Structures are given as structure tokens and as C-alpha cells.
Amino acid sequence: MSYADTESNYDSSGKPVGLESCFTTTGAANGTLKITLRHEPNKSAANVASGDITNAGGSTDAEVVFAITVE
């Protein structure tokens, strides 16, 4: 996964907001997509800017999981 490279997808400090993402597949598959809305995350924590929210802190406002099928 990668963040869309548009100005609106970054905050004033240049950290990704995560409103737009790009997904690339290599073949047919099934899986899940989890979207998490995190309140006041620490975007400077280790690996957060690259999409790993493990060290982000803050609190989860909403989280949803979608079943995905790529044909």
C-alpha cells in the first residue's frame, strides 16, 4: 500500500494523513482491508508515517474491516 502523492494527503508537517491510498495487486486473492480512524496519533513515532500504527498512540475513534476479493 502507498499513500496518494497529493498535497491534500499530508498535514502541515509533511506527515501523511491517509485520506487517499493506492493498492496494487499481483494476482487474484481474497483477504480483508482494515481502516482505522485514530484520534491524535503521534505521526513521528517509529514507522507511523509509512502506515504502521502500532506505535501511534492516541485512541481509535472508528475501525471497520471489509472483505476483499480480487479476481
Side-chain angles (χ1 to χ4, degrees):
M1 180 187 82
S2 62
Y3 291 105
D5 194 20
T6 60
E7 184 177 332
S8 64
N9 205 34
Y10 295 89
D11 67 13
S12 60
S13 299
K15 301 291 185 184
V17 177
L19 298 177
E20 298 178 45
S21 298
C22 300
F23 300 89
T24 303
T25 64
T26 57
N30 294 310
T32 59
L33 170 66
K34 182 191 293 187
I35 298 175
T36 304
L37 176 62
R38 185 63 59 104
H39 183 75
E40 295 188 351
N42 176 359
K43 293 187 237 175
S44 296
N47 302 316
V48 173
S50 63
D52 179 1
I53 64 169
T54 305
N55 300 313
S59 60
T60 299
D61 289 334
E63 189 168 80
V64 63
V65 177
F66 296 97
I68 301 293
T69 300
V70 176
E71 298 178 349

